[in-house]
Amino acid sequence: MTHSPGHRNPSSLADRLGGIYAQRRRRRPPWRLVAVLAVAAVLVVAWLFWRGERLRQARTRARVDAILAAAETAEEPLVRTLVLAELAQLPAAQRDLVTDRGWELVRQVAQQLPPQAVLHPHQGTVTSIAWSGDGRRFVTTSNDRTACIRSADASGDPVVLEGHVDEVLGAGFNHDAQLVATASADHTARIWRSDSEGRPIVLRGHIGKVLCVAFGPENRRLITGGSDFTARVWELDGSGRSTELSGHLGKVVSVAFSPDGYRVATGSTDGTARVWQANGGGEPMVLGDQGGAVWHVAFQGAERVLTASADGAVRIWSVGSRPIVLDAHKGALVDAAWSDDGRRVVTASTDRIARVWGSDDEPVVLAGHTDKLTGAFWSPDSTRVVTTSEDHTAIVWEADGSSRLILRGHTDVVSGAAFSPDGSRLITASDDKTVRLWSAWNRAQDPAVFRRHGGSLLTAAWSPDGRSILTASLDVIRIWRLDGSEVRKVLRAPAGRLASVAWSPDGRYLVLAHRDRVAEVWGADGSRGRGRVTHERDIVAAAWSGDGRWVATGSVDRTARVWPALSEGPAVVLRGHRDTVVSVAWNGENTRVVTAAADRTARVWAADGSAPPIVLRGHTDKLVNASFSGDGERILTASLDGTARIWTLRPTGELVRAHEHPEWRDGFALDTEGTRLVHASEEGILIRRSDGREPIRLPGDPRELASAAFSPGGEHLVTGSHDGTVRVWRVDQPGEPVVLSGEPGTVPRCAVLSADGGRLFIVLEDGSVRVRDADGTGDSRLASEPGGVECPTTRARSPDGSRVAEPADGAVAVRSAAGGEPEATFGGYEGNVESLAWSRDGARIVAALDDGTARVWAADGSGEPMVLRGHRRKLRSAAFSADGQRVVTASDDGTARIWRIGGDALLDYLAQATRACLSVEQRRELLGETPAEATAAHAACERRHGRLPAD
């Protein structure tokens, strides 16, 4: 069969189409096989990932187990801390592998006290340690003849001071840490720049070893103590001058300046400490026989000295302070007097003004006279002042300046005045040869006038009973009735040379001081007594003791004399002034006399002459008078230099308190508050506290401790060992809390953290609530919406309500809310529980105690409690944060504190607690690392602490 060309054969087309389809089917991918293979690949990858994770997890678990095992077996606390700090390098998710036993170990170690750094700056024994004032650096000295300056965080290279030719025994920074002074057994001290640039200044003068050294404030002076029994105060003005302080009978082993630089303290192996004027003036104040060598002295402010001696006691002494200077007058002072209540002082000046000084910064100004003042006198009730003047008047003032009463009538200078014992009347004496008796309240009433003196009056005085008046001129003493109508007695002084007259306290006798060198006692009835004294030159002042048994006199012969008033007997001669003694006065106990002199000084004497005087220096012109306050604890001096000064002085160095401890060995130190002391003893290396609480024990052999020093704020401690090792410790435990000071004058009842942990609510005693940031930044503010903030109580219910914690028989008991026997009991503390609180998960309980600590227990009774120490007074409350990682405490010391207690927080603390690193050998031995792993990990630790450059 024949086909046309345009016609196709159907069967042939079908065959061709079928072939194409078959060919395409052969080319199409096997989708089912691909899917199967893909699923298989995913499963393989997942299996490999799972297996990798299992291997990584196993390796991590093995590492965690190795860390915990090494920490449990390590004997050295520092090594234990460094090993556990490796856990802090794990990611947070991997920390879940730490077992409960592991976290318990972390808590135990966190409450120990590992050193932050271990250094080896010396080849010999570390003989002393001193901190810079800002706490950023410290200097160590050694018998290897060097001193070494290091940063407190142990970063950077040390500065080594070389130049001494014998062992270096002591060192100290100046106030800005730019200079360091060193003391050496080569008989010299040296002053260095702390960056070691330039050559040191060499101070020579001691004839034995220089044992200790200290800078004064403002770089003006330096003090050294030596084995030659002396201390020397060096002027740092380039002159090289020094003042020798001699008097100790043993080596001077400790020295210190007062904060104002006015005094220095020295401690000696003779068993005493002494307080000196820094300029070498006067006699030192001796602080008792302390039962052994005084190894440490320090000032606590200007008025107290701390001493630590070999009898195991720390003593706090009150030694007085630098005077308060009352300086506002433009002229010379002519008088200064205490009010009877001892709370105020009045000063009178040639500038025509009197001023009343009290606790306020600004005095009350009494201005109204038109000429120079001659005196100022208080009323018995301390509410009024009378001033006398060359303008012929006297003025009675309210002491607050609110009103005045002008007394006119004299025709010449009014030289003196005195209130009657009941304050209702007063007398005035004048160069017009009269005495006038006035009503102290009524201006209109005419005064009674007492005449008949032929010359100027020296004095006018009331009898002690207020019923008679004494007037005296150069040659006559008259005793008057109050109406002025009759002279009761007339006593004539020999040769017209009367200088001073004073009533005895009982009014029965008078002491007459003459310008012919004699003072004597007369009866007020005109009879002559038996008491009498003779000076070498004119007598210008006299004063009775309060019991009327003794008289003190001052003379142009530069002496004061204390002599029996009513019998014959020898006088005690008080020598030391270099010019006329112009004033004498007794203290209320009749045991001391203060003298004022034209030599610009006042001196405080034992009335029996048994002790050297305390010399009060500071005035720049002649003194006018000096007197004791009513309580005998202060002295008021007035001078022609226009100032009055108030001196607080306890010449015997009053012992305030002593902290007794067992006898210690070398290497002890006090903190600046005198509340903590570190020392080596048979019990170990201990930090003792003045409140008697259990001491903190530092790891290490006490026989190796050679020196120690607290940082200025007391937060850190540096110890030096005989092997040349230096360790830096953080004193507060466990970790340093954020300290939030309260408002001035307030006491927090409790403190509560907000749910997010960002804010702290402080509930005060008055019920108000203040809020502040929990990180310690910013100021507190009054909470506008406290939101029902409640304080914890001593009976606390668990969050789920099933259990109750409460004090019971000296412990804290946890029992079912339904009652029954305790499920757990927590004891081991002293004092009373002030509050209890549960963590939100019910796993822990915190107690606030009145001994100043808080304790955190596991609620099931397992493990040891965590003790939070740092408050200075009893706690009012303690509470957990919402996440349980922190505790906030509130105390009667006026502060709230936030403490890290959670596992993560404690790990972070351990990582920050020390700047030391495990050595490569320790990592290999304890953690089982390969040499390469150990080397890399050691280098990474060194880089974290800045001792190696970053990669």
Side-chain angles (χ1 to χ4, degrees), residues 129 252-256 265-269 272-273 287 290 292-299 305-310 313-315 317 664 667-674 676-678 708-710:
I129 297 167
V252 178
V253 293
S254 180
V255 292
T266 55
S268 170
T269 56
T272 70
L287 306 183
Q290 302 191 37
V294 180
W295 294 110
H296 185 91
V297 294
F299 277 90
V305 170
L306 304 174
T307 62
S309 54
V314 176
R315 296 175 172 88
W317 307 81
W664 48 63
F668 66 87
L670 279 169
D671 67 4
T672 54
E673 295 297 322
R676 289 177 294 186
L677 176 144
V678 61
F710 283 94

Side-chain angles (χ1 to χ4, degrees), residues 454-540:
S456 297
L457 291 175
L458 291 174
T459 188
W462 291 89
S463 62
D465 62 7
R467 301 167 69 178
S468 304
I469 295 172
L470 177 149
T471 61
S473 60
L474 289 175
D475 56 357
V476 175
I477 301 167
R478 298 177 185 267
I479 301 176
W480 308 77
R481 294 187 186 278
L482 296 188
D483 60 8
S485 61
E486 181 181 346
V487 177
R488 296 183 56 200
K489 300 292 178 186
V490 177
L491 307 179
R492 295 195 177 274
R497 299 273 293 169
L498 192 63
S500 175
V501 182
W503 290 97
S504 65
D506 60 7
R508 297 171 57 195
Y509 301 95
L510 301 172
V511 60
L512 283 63
H514 307 302
R515 297 187 185 275
D516 60 358
R517 303 179 297 173
V518 174
E520 54 188 344
V521 173
W522 287 38
D525 59 2
S527 62
R528 178 163 290 189
R530 300 180 64 184
R532 181 183 175 91
V533 73
T534 301
H535 280 266
E536 296 175 4
R537 297 184 65 182
D538 292 352
I539 300 173
V540 296

